[in-house]
Amino acid sequence: MAVRVVRPRRRLRAGLTQLICSGAGLLLGLLVPRVDGGLRVDATRTVEVLVTVALAVVGVASLIFSLLFLVVQWAAGSFTPRLALFRTDPTVWRTFGFVMGLLVYSTSATLAIGAKPDTSVLVPVLALVLTLVALGLVRNLQVRAFESIQLAHVLAITTQRAHEIVDAFYPDGGIGRSKGESDQPRLPPLLSTVKWPGTTTIVEQLDILNLMTAATRAGSVVVMRVAVGATIQHGTTLAEIRGGDLVDGEVVQAVIAGRERTFRQDPTFAFRLLSDIGLRALSPAVNDPATAVQVLDAMEGLLGRLVRTAPGAFTDSDDNVLVILKLPVWKDFVRVGLDDLLAAGTTSPMVLLRARALLLALLAAPAPPHRLAPLSSRLAWIEKELSDRYPLIWQEAADEAAEG
């Protein structure tokens, strides 16, 4: 399993980043003017430079917030309100923190110079260097902002995040289990169940590594009964403890709850986002079936990877099962990724033809027979919709298939 995925990602610490940068700016602003020796420059001219930099920084901070609000609003209106690529990008808060540090440096250095006739040349030089770095960060931020409103970039990043999750939780070991999606290793007897003690929330992540450590110490197997991305209520069963006696609190602490789903450990979240983008494009208000076709292009690669594999368990070095997650199975991915798009795409022959090509490609892939049945039923439904709604187009597509 990929450690970068199974290890929980710390929450965005924007305030801490800004505090550190502001503290560094204050420290530099108080210490650098005290440097003796070396080249000296006129203090009055230096103060003018520092004040100009401070005023310019305020405008840069306003630009950052404007970009943030505009891009978030654009993404929510054009793609889906659940898409938070730019809002959660660390570049936004690191850039803002650095700019705040530059503001604090300019202000504190101005006060530290005071009524001195001259000061070290390091003061304006450092201000110039920090300003150039800030401009570079702002330029990078603008590039990311422009990318975040481009469909191709959003689809590429969403697909990339999905592949990371799939590679971590669905090992590529052949064509998956042949007896069904619910096969599990032999487990020890059930000792207890763990309930959620809090209020309504969403499971954002799981601290899998710490959970494995606790299970090893207690000699138990933890079988999770809620999936990452699920909404849980007070009293919801989180997990079953089998074998050794594991303290409930260790399981509860491993559940990282929050207000919204994230990419980190949620296999179906990317499918939900892709489907939402396609549905919005197919709405009567937008009527952009070409975007839905691009979504299906991205979906084919993800489903093609999953049709051959099955979820894996977390084991120790001796291959003993420690943690079994509740992971989506094949039918879940098909339902989330395709069904809504197929239903909404009946008014567009372009979408139906692309969906038909996607299903034919998946049916041609090596996979267990029980995974092909959902694809065959959806293919039959699409072909019936094409023949009923667009008989000429369907006839041409059938003739091309026969000739090919």
Side-chain angles (χ1 to χ4, degrees):
M1 302 294 179
V3 174
R4 67 180 182 275
V5 172
V6 301
R7 186 186 300 278
R9 182 176 184 176
R10 296 191 176 188
R11 297 184 186 279
L12 190 64
R13 296 185 176 181
L16 180 60
T17 300
Q18 295 162 21
L19 180 61
I20 292 174
C21 291
S22 298
L26 178 62
L27 189 64
L28 290 173
L30 296 177
L31 295 180
V32 174
R34 295 176 178 269
V35 175
D36 295 325
L39 294 177
R40 312 290 290 180
V41 293
D42 182 70
T44 303
R45 299 295 299 273
T46 301
V47 168
E48 292 176 356
V49 171
L50 293 175
V51 171
T52 302
V53 170
L55 293 176
V57 163
V58 175
V60 172
S62 302
L63 172 64
I64 294 174
F65 274 110
S66 298
L67 281 176
L68 179 62
F69 292 137
L70 288 174
V71 171
V72 170
Q73 183 179 14
W74 173 277
S78 301
F79 300 133
T80 168
R82 281 163 287 280
L83 186 66
L85 292 176
F86 187 71
R87 174 170 57 86
T88 58
D89 192 335
T91 303
V92 177
W93 307 109
R94 289 170 184 169
T95 302
F96 185 77
F98 188 89
V99 168
M100 288 298 97
L102 177 56
L103 174 61
V104 173
Y105 167 75
S106 301
T107 305
S108 58
T110 299
L111 296 176
I113 292 173
K116 296 179 181 179
D118 56 25
T119 186
S120 172
V121 72
L122 292 177
V123 176
V125 169
L126 183 58
L128 176 61
V129 171
L130 293 178
T131 302
L132 292 176
V133 174
L135 290 175
L137 291 174
V138 171
R139 180 187 180 281
N140 182 49
L141 184 65
Q142 288 179 319
V143 172
R144 287 181 177 269
F146 294 146
E147 288 179 341
S148 297
I149 61 177
Q150 299 297 316
L151 175 64
H153 175 78
V154 171
L155 293 181
I157 293 297
T158 303
T159 305
Q160 177 186 342
R161 299 282 182 86
H163 276 293
E164 292 177 359
I165 305 300
V166 169
D167 292 341
F169 293 135
Y170 297 80
D172 192 2
I175 60 172
R177 301 187 180 98
S178 59
K179 294 182 180 180
E181 301 285 5
S182 61
D183 292 353
Q184 287 185 351
R186 296 179 64 87
L187 300 176
L190 174 65
L191 290 185
S192 62
T193 58
V194 182
K195 306 288 186 180
W196 176 246
T199 57
T200 303
T201 187
I202 293 176
V203 180
E204 287 188 351
Q205 301 178 74
L206 293 174
D207 194 343
I208 301 173
L209 296 181
N210 283 343
L211 195 58
M212 292 174 64
T213 301
T216 301
R217 185 172 57 250
S220 61
V221 177
V222 180
V223 182
M224 298 301 300
R225 290 306 178 195
V226 293
V228 174
T231 301
I232 54 177
Q233 318 289 340
H234 179 78
T236 298
T237 299
L238 293 179
E240 295 177 353
I241 307 300
R242 295 176 174 270
D245 189 10
L246 182 64
V247 179
D248 290 3
E250 294 191 86
V251 178
V252 173
Q253 290 178 358
V255 177
I256 302 174
R259 298 178 180 177
E260 58 185 1
R261 298 172 67 176
T262 65
F263 283 106
R264 191 66 177 176
Q265 297 175 357
D266 190 345
T268 58
F269 184 51
F271 288 82
R272 180 70 273 160
L273 292 177
L274 291 174
S275 182
D276 285 351
I277 294 172
L279 288 174
R280 191 169 294 253
L282 291 173
S283 65
V286 179
N287 192 24
D288 180 18
T291 293
V293 169
Q294 286 184 260
V295 169
L296 290 173
D297 291 340
M299 199 77 74
E300 181 176 344
L302 293 172
L303 291 174
R305 167 67 172 82
L306 285 161
V307 73
R308 303 185 301 271
T309 58
F314 292 85
T315 61
D316 58 17
S317 57
D318 297 326
D319 209 29
N320 297 315
V321 176
L322 299 175
V323 176
I324 297 178
L325 300 184
K326 183 178 176 59
L327 291 171
V329 294
W330 172 243
K331 63 180 180 181
D332 299 320
F333 290 107
V334 173
R335 185 180 302 119
V336 175
L338 288 182
D339 286 357
D340 292 335
L341 284 176
L342 298 184
T346 55
T347 58
S348 171
M350 180 194 308
V351 174
L352 290 178
L353 288 173
R354 182 62 187 89
R356 177 175 179 267
L358 181 152
L359 291 172
L360 288 173
L362 294 178
L363 286 169
H370 68 275
R371 297 197 185 180
L372 301 181
L375 302 177
S376 299
S377 61
R378 286 163 175 79
L379 178 62
W381 180 81
I382 287 178
E383 291 181 343
K384 183 177 185 305
E385 288 292 320
L386 280 169
S387 62
D388 292 344
R389 292 173 177 266
Y390 313 102
L392 179 60
I393 295 176
W394 166 241
Q395 186 60 49
E396 292 179 351
D399 293 341
E400 291 176 1
E403 293 175 359

